[in-house]
Amino acid sequence: MNAQPSNRSAFLDRVADSLGRPRRTDGVQRPAWKHNVHLEQLADRTPEQLVEILKEQCFFIHTQVIESTPDLLQRTLDDLIAGYGGGPVIRSGDPRFMRYGLSFLGDSVWSAQAGRAENIRLAEAANIALVFADYALAESGTVVLESRPDQGRALHFLPSHYIAVIEWERIVPRSTQAMAEMNRRHEAGGSLGSCINLISGPSNSADIEMQLVVGVHGPLRATYVLI
Amino acid sequence: MSLKTDNRAFGARTADGIGDAFMRGAVGSAQDSLKTRRLTAATALGDWEAWRELGQQIRQHTLANLDYYLEQMADNVERRGGHVFFARTKEEASGYILGVVKSKQARKIVKSKSMVTEEIEMNRVLLEAGCEVIESDLGEYILQEDDWDPPSHIVAPALHKNREQIRDVFAAKLNYEGDETPEHLARFARTVLREKFLEAEIGITGCNFAVANLGAINLVTNEGNGDLTAALPPTHIAVMGMERIVPTLEEMEVLDNLLCRSAVGQKLTSYITVMGPREEGDTDGPEEFHLVIVDNGRSDILASEFHEALQCIRCGACLNVCPVYRHIGGHAYGSIYPGPIGAVITPLLGGYDDYKELPYASSLCGACTDVCPVKIPLHQQLVLHRQNIVSQGRTGSVDRIQMKAVGKVLSSPALFAGTLRLANPMSTLLSKHGRIVRGPAPLSGWIGSRDLPQPVKKRDGFRDWYPHREGGGHS
């Protein structure tokens, strides 16, 4: 649908005019940036230190962190689900659920077969969303997830509670490393999900008298499980 | 709502602000808490100055190549199956959006917070066409339910309201029966708005940054409403000011870090999302994606001496340190963009005819410039505005006569010495205990809020004292 013609050329000509030069259509390179502070920040920390930084930051973003192991993961998650008041649970179709031998009674799975409406209906009805992080950012207490056919965009926002499993080796110092890696993948022609979510704890707002309310439109509470 | 939020004169608007004790208390404590949080978050990064320089360099590089990056963005969005519309004016922008809405025969629209949609008067256009437009950001939703009360802060739009007022608005408009606890009010809004998200036919969001090499937009939020707005309705329209663009995820990452820390003192907000048109095989996300890129006066700014103002990433840090904003509040600016950055860009977008007072709503202390994460020389731009306003003869006739008189006196040593001699006797009648206590404008304006010492007698003046002081008068 394009009822009205896009007046792209005239618009961009005018921008170039404002810059006092002819249109630039190629040959623009990013300059060498003056500083590497973003690359250096926390870059020298050991994995153990990063875990500590992540745990400390999660305290500030109202997110529970539970340390578990691949062997104990099923039990940890079962306990967490019970603690959040039980199902319904909706999880992504991430192959790691199978790899770790996880199964949950009566859960639903976000899937390509279910189709848009059904996936959204199940997520809206769910008490708990369960996902695996693609990356975790120590500094900001963030999990990074790409959308895929078996992991939709709304999965992270509709259920009341959010549980993300983080494998140790997925922890990087900060957003710099995750975004740089994804950009490299994109520029090399690799596939990148149509939506990238950086999620740092539960939803919140300070719109009423600057008082923090945890739990607004997205999940009310969040837990990360480290393995 | 348009750029303009109040048709009254500047004096009436500021008098309202200064007279509103609750608002001033709320703004003061919000400033204090946001300032402290920003400082803590900035300090934690170590070399904050280097971060600012990096942010400035990224913004300047992108703006210097804006035509290139916008074209790259548009190509990538279209390659991914999205639609791009370039809007020269606000009418073109809101007209295009209305066209999309009509083509979908949609009536139910949900949107997340976006300043540029206010600027293009999108809500008015859609409401007049009979659509239901729901603001889903909690603060904006409160304002909407209170008969579209204007926002007073870029980041915390309902800052000027207290919890009791909000409870009363919800009770009157939505039959809310609970108490004024913020958590209860927020949960109530969650329940009401969840329905709206699920039934909306179109979702409209702003755009913190467009990521040119991806053809995706970046939203930075805390509540989760922006993501629901973009993910659930079958059609998503994103509206961006043309300057809000970065080359890649790498620069976006730096600017998001600067934005989150500067705006609210968070390392990253709860939800930072990079979203583009859905890919083959995606199970949700919008079936149709439109990106509206808005000029509406920005190319004129780009060509002007004010081009650095386009570096702005809308964090609101300059509002949080401004002593003038603290006292007059956001509404007094009469613009959707208040505070120091508002005083710079509002006259550029809306013209001096309506906004020539705003550059004077500053003490020029420079706190805004110091705090700006992308190093916009805000207070220097306010001085530039003042120079333009004076050179275009836009100051009042009283001002002009006064300045002429001052100019005459200062350029003649004899007149200057004579004036000094007469200043004390002439001000005696206006003074009490060595302070001037009454007088015509501009004296009255000054002494209304500050002390003005009476000029000293000639023999006590510096020029008479200096040559006779101990040690002689050699300079």
Side-chain angles (χ1 to χ4, degrees), chain A residues 7 21 24 30 34-35 110 116 124 153 174-175 186 194 196 198 200 204 207 209 211 214 217-218, chain B residues 53 57 64-65 75 86 136 139 163 187 190 194 213 232 251 253 257 270 272 274 276 282-283 285:
Chain A
N7 45 352
R21 54 160 178 74
R24 269 181 201 161
R30 291 180 288 163
K34 285 182 203 170
H35 299 286
W110 189 289
R116 176 194 168 90
E124 160 64 11
R153 303 180 186 199
R174 64 192 315 279
S175 43
H186 172 70
S194 67
I196 303 164
L198 282 74
S200 310
N204 64 85
D207 273 352
E209 290 189 13
Q211 186 174 316
V214 178
H217 294 303
Chain B
E53 284 174 15
Q57 192 190 8
N65 297 287
D75 284 343
F86 286 90
S136 62
R163 61 182 74 188
R187 289 292 150 80
R190 172 189 169 95
R194 186 53 76 92
N213 76 335
L232 291 178
E251 293 74 33
E253 186 268 330
N257 273 267
S270 290
I272 291 184
V274 183
D282 276 4
T283 30

Side-chain angles (χ1 to χ4, degrees), chain B residues 2-4 88-91 115-121 241-244 294-302 304 306 309-310 312 314 334-338 341-356 358-359 385:
Chain B
S2 58
L3 178 69
K4 187 176 232 175
R88 262 289 287 285
T89 63
K90 61 180 182 179
E91 289 80 11
M115 302 305 292
V116 69
T117 58
E118 303 278 358
E119 197 186 307
I120 63 171
E121 296 184 62
M242 69 174 196
E243 79 283 14
R244 306 292 290 278
V294 180
D295 183 327
N296 196 34
R298 286 166 172 77
S299 51
D300 292 331
I301 301 177
L302 190 61
S304 76
F306 295 98
L310 293 176
C312 179
R314 302 282 189 272
S335 161
I336 53 166
Y337 300 117
I341 185 64
V344 170
I345 61 176
T346 304
L348 297 170
L349 295 171
Y352 286 139
D353 282 349
D354 284 340
Y355 295 108
K356 67 176 187 304
L358 290 191
H385 268 311

Side-chain angles (χ1 to χ4, degrees), chain B residues 74-92:
Chain B
D75 284 343
N76 284 323
V77 170
E78 285 171 359
R79 179 180 53 74
R80 295 175 65 172
H83 305 273
V84 181
F85 182 74
F86 286 90
R88 262 289 287 285
T89 63
K90 61 180 182 179
E91 289 80 11
E92 282 179 19

Side-chain angles (χ1 to χ4, degrees), chain B residues 196-469:
Chain B
K196 301 290 182 188
F197 286 122
L198 290 166
E199 66 183 29
E201 296 152 294
I202 294 187
I204 302 179
T205 68
C207 165
N208 287 93
F209 299 105
V211 184
N213 76 335
L214 278 185
I217 64 155
N218 170 218
L219 289 183
V220 178
T221 67
N222 267 316
E223 295 180 6
N225 63 315
D227 290 274
L228 288 170
T229 301
L232 291 178
T235 302
H236 174 201
I237 305 174
V239 190
M240 63 178 271
M242 69 174 196
E243 79 283 14
R244 306 292 290 278
I245 188 164
V246 290
T248 76
L249 286 174
E250 295 178 1
E251 293 74 33
M252 177 201 88
E253 186 268 330
V254 173
L255 294 180
D256 281 350
N257 273 267
L258 287 167
L259 172 62
C260 298
R261 284 173 199 254
S262 298
V264 282
Q266 286 172 282
K267 293 188 174 85
L268 294 179
T269 57
S270 290
Y271 300 115
I272 291 184
T273 306
V274 183
M275 54 179 90
R278 59 190 284 175
E279 300 281 339
E280 193 64 36
D282 276 4
T283 30
D284 69 344
E287 283 149 14
E288 204 172 294
F289 174 77
H290 295 262
L291 177 66
V292 181
I293 302 175
V294 180
D295 183 327
N296 196 34
R298 286 166 172 77
S299 51
D300 292 331
I301 301 177
L302 190 61
S304 76
E305 57 204 345
F306 295 98
H307 59 92
E308 284 163 298
L310 293 176
Q311 287 163 218
C312 179
I313 58 173
R314 302 282 189 272
C315 68
C318 58
L319 278 64
N320 300 333
V321 296
C322 179
V324 174
Y325 179 86
R326 189 180 188 95
H327 289 288
I328 66 177
H331 284 168
Y333 291 81
S335 161
I336 53 166
Y337 300 117
I341 185 64
V344 170
I345 61 176
T346 304
L348 297 170
L349 295 171
Y352 286 139
D353 282 349
D354 284 340
Y355 295 108
K356 67 176 187 304
E357 294 88 358
L358 290 191
Y360 293 88
S362 166
S363 67
L364 300 182
C365 68
C368 47
T369 304
D370 286 346
V371 85
C372 177
V374 290
K375 300 192 76 154
I376 303 170
L378 287 157
H379 73 291
Q380 286 152 16
Q381 298 213 324
L382 291 173
V383 175
L384 271 179
H385 268 311
R386 294 185 190 187
Q387 285 169 355
N388 289 348
I389 289 163
V390 171
S391 64
Q392 292 174 20
R394 289 175 177 275
T395 44
S397 53
V398 177
D399 257 17
R400 279 205 297 279
I401 293 165
Q402 279 169 355
M403 280 301 152
K404 223 170 215 157
V406 170
K408 274 240 150 57
V409 170
L410 291 180
S411 56
S412 151
L415 261 180
F416 184 65
T419 307
L420 283 188
R421 197 157 42 243
L422 289 173
N424 174 264
M426 281 184 64
S427 58
T428 304
L429 278 177
L430 304 176
S431 304
K432 219 175 186 174
H433 309 304
R435 301 256 181 276
I436 294 182
V437 291
R438 58 183 161 269
L443 281 186
S444 55
W446 181 275
I447 59 186
S449 51
R450 301 170 183 85
D451 280 344
L452 179 62
Q454 188 189 0
V456 294
K457 292 186 177 124
K458 182 175 179 300
R459 64 176 148 78
D460 296 332
F462 177 79
R463 281 157 181 264
D464 283 280
W465 164 81
Y466 187 72
H468 301 119
R469 74 193 168 99

